Amino acid sequence: RPSPRMEELRGHIVHVMEAVRGITHDLKSNDLSTVASLAREINALLEKIRETTAIDFTLRQQGTARVLSHFQHTHLKKIISELISNSIRHSGCTLITTFFQVDERHLVIHYADNGRGVDLLQENTGIGLQNVKERIGLLNGTVQQHDQRPGYAIDLKIPLL
């Protein structure tokens, strides 16, 4: 088993590799991503999920013309996809709600479902939520979970460029 220092080093290397990959793509790409374009992609994903699972959704956005780097866009899409996947697999929900809100310096994504909820006092060993927290960390953001049983809610906040 690797030492804690080795694990920390591995984490730093992964972070640097992801950053370099994102910067490289940003330099090569002519496509600009915005919060609104990310919201459109998530809306399309939720439409497909509604067709196949009968889980309904609402998606709202406010002030979403701000530009996202490829790195931010990629990680946010994976994060929200993971949250949706968790809702489908574990919550028994019938409604997913997503709200994208931009202020001067930050993007806040409020995600919620009306399923069983999660006991936030219990140690959560699920890899999905761990991945969400790691990816938000890569974006220098914060995660705040809310126990609103029935249901689950999480707020993701990242600084914008």
Short mmCIF file of all heavy atoms in Angstrom, two decimals, residues 103-146:
data_model
loop_
_atom_site.label_atom_id
_atom_site.label_comp_id
_atom_site.label_asym_id
_atom_site.label_seq_id
_atom_site.Cartn_x
_atom_site.Cartn_y
_atom_site.Cartn_z
N ASP A 103 -23.12 34.79 -10.56
CA ASP A 103 -22.98 36.16 -10.06
C ASP A 103 -21.68 36.72 -10.66
O ASP A 103 -21.15 36.15 -11.62
CB ASP A 103 -23.01 36.22 -8.53
CG ASP A 103 -21.84 35.52 -7.86
OD1 ASP A 103 -20.77 35.36 -8.50
OD2 ASP A 103 -21.98 35.12 -6.69
N GLU A 104 -21.16 37.78 -10.13
CA GLU A 104 -19.99 38.42 -10.73
C GLU A 104 -18.78 37.49 -10.82
O GLU A 104 -18.03 37.55 -11.79
CB GLU A 104 -19.61 39.67 -9.93
CG GLU A 104 -20.60 40.80 -10.10
CD GLU A 104 -20.17 42.02 -9.31
OE1 GLU A 104 -18.98 42.16 -8.99
OE2 GLU A 104 -21.06 42.85 -9.03
N ARG A 105 -18.58 36.66 -9.83
CA ARG A 105 -17.35 35.88 -9.78
C ARG A 105 -17.54 34.37 -9.70
O ARG A 105 -16.57 33.62 -9.79
CB ARG A 105 -16.53 36.30 -8.56
CG ARG A 105 -16.05 37.72 -8.64
CD ARG A 105 -15.08 38.01 -7.53
NE ARG A 105 -14.61 39.38 -7.64
CZ ARG A 105 -14.75 40.28 -6.70
NH1 ARG A 105 -15.34 39.98 -5.57
NH2 ARG A 105 -14.30 41.50 -6.88
N HIS A 106 -18.76 33.90 -9.53
CA HIS A 106 -18.97 32.47 -9.28
C HIS A 106 -20.15 31.90 -10.08
O HIS A 106 -21.08 32.62 -10.42
CB HIS A 106 -19.26 32.23 -7.79
CG HIS A 106 -18.12 32.57 -6.91
ND1 HIS A 106 -17.98 33.82 -6.33
CD2 HIS A 106 -17.03 31.85 -6.53
CE1 HIS A 106 -16.87 33.84 -5.62
NE2 HIS A 106 -16.28 32.66 -5.73
N LEU A 107 -20.06 30.62 -10.29
CA LEU A 107 -21.18 29.83 -10.78
C LEU A 107 -21.63 28.95 -9.63
O LEU A 107 -20.81 28.26 -9.01
CB LEU A 107 -20.76 28.95 -11.96
CG LEU A 107 -21.72 27.82 -12.36
CD1 LEU A 107 -23.08 28.38 -12.80
CD2 LEU A 107 -21.11 26.96 -13.45
N VAL A 108 -22.91 29.00 -9.34
CA VAL A 108 -23.50 28.11 -8.33
C VAL A 108 -24.49 27.22 -9.06
O VAL A 108 -25.35 27.69 -9.80
CB VAL A 108 -24.22 28.90 -7.21
CG1 VAL A 108 -24.88 27.94 -6.22
CG2 VAL A 108 -23.23 29.82 -6.50
N ILE A 109 -24.34 25.92 -8.84
CA ILE A 109 -25.28 24.95 -9.39
C ILE A 109 -25.98 24.29 -8.22
O ILE A 109 -25.34 23.68 -7.37
CB ILE A 109 -24.57 23.89 -10.26
CG1 ILE A 109 -23.83 24.55 -11.41
CG2 ILE A 109 -25.59 22.86 -10.76
CD1 ILE A 109 -22.92 23.61 -12.18
N HIS A 110 -27.29 24.48 -8.17
CA HIS A 110 -28.09 23.83 -7.14
C HIS A 110 -28.75 22.62 -7.79
O HIS A 110 -29.46 22.77 -8.79
CB HIS A 110 -29.15 24.78 -6.58
CG HIS A 110 -30.04 24.13 -5.56
ND1 HIS A 110 -29.63 23.87 -4.28
CD2 HIS A 110 -31.30 23.65 -5.66
CE1 HIS A 110 -30.61 23.26 -3.63
NE2 HIS A 110 -31.63 23.12 -4.45
N TYR A 111 -28.50 21.45 -7.25
CA TYR A 111 -29.04 20.20 -7.78
C TYR A 111 -29.85 19.54 -6.67
O TYR A 111 -29.40 19.48 -5.53
CB TYR A 111 -27.90 19.26 -8.21
CG TYR A 111 -28.38 17.93 -8.69
CD1 TYR A 111 -28.65 17.72 -10.03
CD2 TYR A 111 -28.62 16.88 -7.80
CE1 TYR A 111 -29.12 16.50 -10.48
CE2 TYR A 111 -29.10 15.67 -8.24
CZ TYR A 111 -29.34 15.48 -9.57
OH TYR A 111 -29.82 14.27 -10.01
N ALA A 112 -31.03 19.04 -7.01
CA ALA A 112 -31.86 18.38 -6.00
C ALA A 112 -32.72 17.31 -6.65
O ALA A 112 -33.02 17.38 -7.86
CB ALA A 112 -32.76 19.39 -5.30
N ASP A 113 -33.09 16.32 -5.85
CA ASP A 113 -34.09 15.35 -6.29
C ASP A 113 -35.08 15.14 -5.15
O ASP A 113 -34.84 15.57 -4.03
CB ASP A 113 -33.46 14.03 -6.77
CG ASP A 113 -32.84 13.19 -5.66
OD1 ASP A 113 -33.40 13.12 -4.55
OD2 ASP A 113 -31.78 12.59 -5.91
N ASN A 114 -36.21 14.51 -5.46
CA ASN A 114 -37.24 14.29 -4.44
C ASN A 114 -37.28 12.83 -3.97
O ASN A 114 -38.31 12.33 -3.56
CB ASN A 114 -38.62 14.73 -4.94
CG ASN A 114 -39.12 13.85 -6.08
OD1 ASN A 114 -38.38 13.08 -6.67
ND2 ASN A 114 -40.40 13.99 -6.40
N GLY A 115 -36.13 12.19 -4.02
CA GLY A 115 -36.05 10.78 -3.64
C GLY A 115 -35.92 10.56 -2.15
O GLY A 115 -36.33 11.39 -1.34
N ARG A 116 -35.31 9.42 -1.79
CA ARG A 116 -35.19 9.01 -0.39
C ARG A 116 -34.32 9.93 0.46
O ARG A 116 -34.48 10.00 1.67
CB ARG A 116 -34.58 7.60 -0.31
CG ARG A 116 -35.56 6.51 -0.62
CD ARG A 116 -34.95 5.15 -0.37
NE ARG A 116 -34.18 4.66 -1.51
CZ ARG A 116 -34.71 4.21 -2.63
NH1 ARG A 116 -36.00 4.19 -2.78
NH2 ARG A 116 -33.95 3.78 -3.61
N GLY A 117 -33.35 10.59 -0.14
CA GLY A 117 -32.44 11.44 0.62
C GLY A 117 -31.26 10.64 1.14
O GLY A 117 -31.17 9.42 0.96
N VAL A 118 -30.36 11.34 1.80
CA VAL A 118 -29.13 10.75 2.31
C VAL A 118 -28.95 11.21 3.74
O VAL A 118 -29.16 12.39 4.04
CB VAL A 118 -27.92 11.21 1.45
CG1 VAL A 118 -26.62 10.71 2.04
CG2 VAL A 118 -28.07 10.77 0.01
N ASP A 119 -28.53 10.30 4.61
CA ASP A 119 -28.21 10.67 5.98
C ASP A 119 -26.80 11.25 5.97
O ASP A 119 -25.82 10.53 5.83
CB ASP A 119 -28.28 9.45 6.90
CG ASP A 119 -28.07 9.81 8.35
OD1 ASP A 119 -27.71 10.97 8.65
OD2 ASP A 119 -28.27 8.93 9.20
N LEU A 120 -26.70 12.56 6.09
CA LEU A 120 -25.41 13.23 5.99
C LEU A 120 -24.52 12.97 7.20
O LEU A 120 -23.31 13.22 7.15
CB LEU A 120 -25.60 14.73 5.79
CG LEU A 120 -26.35 15.13 4.52
CD1 LEU A 120 -26.53 16.63 4.45
CD2 LEU A 120 -25.62 14.61 3.29
N LEU A 121 -25.09 12.48 8.29
CA LEU A 121 -24.29 12.18 9.48
C LEU A 121 -23.57 10.84 9.34
O LEU A 121 -22.59 10.60 10.03
CB LEU A 121 -25.17 12.18 10.73
CG LEU A 121 -25.84 13.53 11.04
CD1 LEU A 121 -26.74 13.40 12.26
CD2 LEU A 121 -24.79 14.61 11.25
N GLN A 122 -24.07 9.98 8.48
CA GLN A 122 -23.40 8.70 8.24
C GLN A 122 -22.22 8.89 7.32
O GLN A 122 -22.24 9.73 6.42
CB GLN A 122 -24.35 7.69 7.60
CG GLN A 122 -25.16 6.90 8.57
CD GLN A 122 -25.84 5.74 7.84
OE1 GLN A 122 -26.22 5.86 6.69
NE2 GLN A 122 -25.99 4.65 8.54
N GLU A 123 -21.17 8.11 7.53
CA GLU A 123 -20.00 8.15 6.65
C GLU A 123 -20.42 7.64 5.28
O GLU A 123 -20.90 6.52 5.14
CB GLU A 123 -18.89 7.26 7.23
CG GLU A 123 -17.59 7.32 6.46
CD GLU A 123 -16.92 8.69 6.52
OE1 GLU A 123 -17.08 9.37 7.54
OE2 GLU A 123 -16.26 9.05 5.55
N ASN A 124 -20.28 8.48 4.27
CA ASN A 124 -20.67 8.10 2.92
C ASN A 124 -19.45 7.53 2.20
O ASN A 124 -18.47 8.22 1.99
CB ASN A 124 -21.21 9.32 2.16
CG ASN A 124 -21.85 8.92 0.85
OD1 ASN A 124 -21.48 7.94 0.22
ND2 ASN A 124 -22.82 9.70 0.44
N THR A 125 -19.52 6.25 1.84
CA THR A 125 -18.38 5.61 1.19
C THR A 125 -18.58 5.47 -0.31
O THR A 125 -17.77 4.85 -0.97
CB THR A 125 -18.16 4.20 1.81
OG1 THR A 125 -19.37 3.45 1.65
CG2 THR A 125 -17.80 4.29 3.27
N GLY A 126 -19.64 6.05 -0.84
CA GLY A 126 -19.90 5.95 -2.27
C GLY A 126 -18.85 6.66 -3.09
O GLY A 126 -18.43 7.77 -2.78
N ILE A 127 -18.40 5.99 -4.15
CA ILE A 127 -17.35 6.56 -5.00
C ILE A 127 -17.89 7.72 -5.83
O ILE A 127 -17.14 8.65 -6.16
CB ILE A 127 -16.70 5.48 -5.87
CG1 ILE A 127 -15.45 6.04 -6.53
CG2 ILE A 127 -17.64 4.98 -6.94
CD1 ILE A 127 -14.28 5.14 -6.41
N GLY A 128 -19.18 7.70 -6.17
CA GLY A 128 -19.75 8.76 -6.99
C GLY A 128 -19.64 10.12 -6.34
O GLY A 128 -19.17 11.08 -6.94
N LEU A 129 -20.06 10.23 -5.09
CA LEU A 129 -19.99 11.50 -4.38
C LEU A 129 -18.54 11.90 -4.12
O LEU A 129 -18.19 13.09 -4.18
CB LEU A 129 -20.78 11.44 -3.07
CG LEU A 129 -21.05 12.77 -2.41
CD1 LEU A 129 -21.68 13.78 -3.38
CD2 LEU A 129 -21.93 12.60 -1.20
N GLN A 130 -17.70 10.93 -3.87
CA GLN A 130 -16.27 11.20 -3.70
C GLN A 130 -15.70 11.81 -4.99
O GLN A 130 -14.94 12.78 -4.94
CB GLN A 130 -15.54 9.91 -3.35
CG GLN A 130 -14.08 10.08 -3.04
CD GLN A 130 -13.43 8.75 -2.66
OE1 GLN A 130 -14.09 7.75 -2.41
NE2 GLN A 130 -12.12 8.77 -2.63
N ASN A 131 -16.09 11.27 -6.14
CA ASN A 131 -15.64 11.82 -7.43
C ASN A 131 -16.13 13.25 -7.62
O ASN A 131 -15.41 14.10 -8.13
CB ASN A 131 -16.13 10.95 -8.59
CG ASN A 131 -15.39 9.65 -8.71
OD1 ASN A 131 -14.28 9.50 -8.20
ND2 ASN A 131 -15.99 8.69 -9.37
N VAL A 132 -17.37 13.51 -7.23
CA VAL A 132 -17.93 14.86 -7.33
C VAL A 132 -17.07 15.84 -6.52
O VAL A 132 -16.68 16.90 -7.01
CB VAL A 132 -19.41 14.89 -6.85
CG1 VAL A 132 -19.89 16.32 -6.64
CG2 VAL A 132 -20.30 14.16 -7.83
N LYS A 133 -16.76 15.46 -5.29
CA LYS A 133 -15.97 16.34 -4.42
C LYS A 133 -14.56 16.55 -4.97
O LYS A 133 -14.03 17.67 -4.93
CB LYS A 133 -15.92 15.76 -3.01
CG LYS A 133 -17.24 15.83 -2.29
CD LYS A 133 -17.18 15.18 -0.92
CE LYS A 133 -18.52 15.26 -0.21
NZ LYS A 133 -18.49 14.59 1.09
N GLU A 134 -13.96 15.50 -5.51
CA GLU A 134 -12.62 15.64 -6.08
C GLU A 134 -12.63 16.56 -7.29
O GLU A 134 -11.75 17.40 -7.45
CB GLU A 134 -12.06 14.27 -6.45
CG GLU A 134 -11.63 13.44 -5.26
CD GLU A 134 -11.17 12.05 -5.63
OE1 GLU A 134 -10.97 11.75 -6.83
OE2 GLU A 134 -11.00 11.24 -4.70
N ARG A 135 -13.62 16.39 -8.16
CA ARG A 135 -13.69 17.23 -9.36
C ARG A 135 -13.95 18.69 -9.01
O ARG A 135 -13.38 19.59 -9.61
CB ARG A 135 -14.77 16.72 -10.32
CG ARG A 135 -14.37 15.45 -11.03
CD ARG A 135 -15.44 15.05 -12.04
NE ARG A 135 -15.19 13.75 -12.60
CZ ARG A 135 -14.35 13.52 -13.62
NH1 ARG A 135 -13.69 14.51 -14.16
NH2 ARG A 135 -14.17 12.30 -14.07
N ILE A 136 -14.82 18.94 -8.04
CA ILE A 136 -15.07 20.32 -7.60
C ILE A 136 -13.78 20.90 -7.01
O ILE A 136 -13.46 22.07 -7.22
CB ILE A 136 -16.24 20.39 -6.59
CG1 ILE A 136 -17.56 20.23 -7.32
CG2 ILE A 136 -16.22 21.69 -5.80
CD1 ILE A 136 -17.93 21.37 -8.24
N GLY A 137 -13.03 20.07 -6.30
CA GLY A 137 -11.73 20.51 -5.78
C GLY A 137 -10.79 20.92 -6.89
O GLY A 137 -10.06 21.92 -6.77
N LEU A 138 -10.78 20.17 -8.00
CA LEU A 138 -9.94 20.51 -9.15
C LEU A 138 -10.33 21.87 -9.73
O LEU A 138 -9.50 22.56 -10.31
CB LEU A 138 -10.04 19.45 -10.24
CG LEU A 138 -9.42 18.08 -9.94
CD1 LEU A 138 -9.76 17.09 -11.05
CD2 LEU A 138 -7.91 18.20 -9.77
N LEU A 139 -11.60 22.23 -9.56
CA LEU A 139 -12.10 23.52 -10.07
C LEU A 139 -12.02 24.63 -9.01
O LEU A 139 -12.57 25.71 -9.20
CB LEU A 139 -13.55 23.35 -10.55
CG LEU A 139 -13.76 22.38 -11.70
CD1 LEU A 139 -15.25 22.15 -11.95
CD2 LEU A 139 -13.06 22.85 -12.96
N ASN A 140 -11.34 24.33 -7.89
CA ASN A 140 -11.21 25.29 -6.77
C ASN A 140 -12.56 25.70 -6.23
O ASN A 140 -12.75 26.86 -5.82
CB ASN A 140 -10.40 26.52 -7.18
CG ASN A 140 -8.99 26.16 -7.57
OD1 ASN A 140 -8.34 25.38 -6.88
ND2 ASN A 140 -8.52 26.70 -8.68
N GLY A 141 -13.50 24.77 -6.24
CA GLY A 141 -14.85 25.07 -5.80
C GLY A 141 -15.18 24.44 -4.46
O GLY A 141 -14.33 23.85 -3.79
N THR A 142 -16.44 24.59 -4.09
CA THR A 142 -16.93 24.06 -2.83
C THR A 142 -18.20 23.24 -3.07
O THR A 142 -18.92 23.45 -4.04
CB THR A 142 -17.26 25.18 -1.82
OG1 THR A 142 -18.26 26.04 -2.38
CG2 THR A 142 -16.02 25.98 -1.46
N VAL A 143 -18.45 22.33 -2.14
CA VAL A 143 -19.62 21.46 -2.18
C VAL A 143 -20.35 21.62 -0.85
O VAL A 143 -19.73 21.58 0.21
CB VAL A 143 -19.22 19.97 -2.35
CG1 VAL A 143 -20.43 19.07 -2.23
CG2 VAL A 143 -18.49 19.75 -3.65
N GLN A 144 -21.66 21.80 -0.92
CA GLN A 144 -22.46 21.83 0.30
C GLN A 144 -23.68 20.95 0.08
O GLN A 144 -24.50 21.22 -0.80
CB GLN A 144 -22.88 23.25 0.64
CG GLN A 144 -23.62 23.34 1.96
CD GLN A 144 -23.91 24.78 2.36
OE1 GLN A 144 -23.76 25.71 1.57
NE2 GLN A 144 -24.33 24.95 3.59
N GLN A 145 -23.77 19.88 0.89
CA GLN A 145 -24.91 18.97 0.79
C GLN A 145 -25.97 19.38 1.80
O GLN A 145 -25.67 19.93 2.85
CB GLN A 145 -24.46 17.54 1.11
CG GLN A 145 -23.44 17.02 0.14
CD GLN A 145 -23.03 15.62 0.52
OE1 GLN A 145 -23.70 14.67 0.18
NE2 GLN A 145 -21.94 15.50 1.25
N HIS A 146 -27.23 19.08 1.45
CA HIS A 146 -28.35 19.42 2.32
C HIS A 146 -29.20 18.18 2.56
O HIS A 146 -29.57 17.49 1.63
CB HIS A 146 -29.23 20.51 1.68
CG HIS A 146 -28.46 21.72 1.29
ND1 HIS A 146 -28.09 22.69 2.20
CD2 HIS A 146 -27.96 22.12 0.09
CE1 HIS A 146 -27.41 23.63 1.57
NE2 HIS A 146 -27.32 23.31 0.30
#
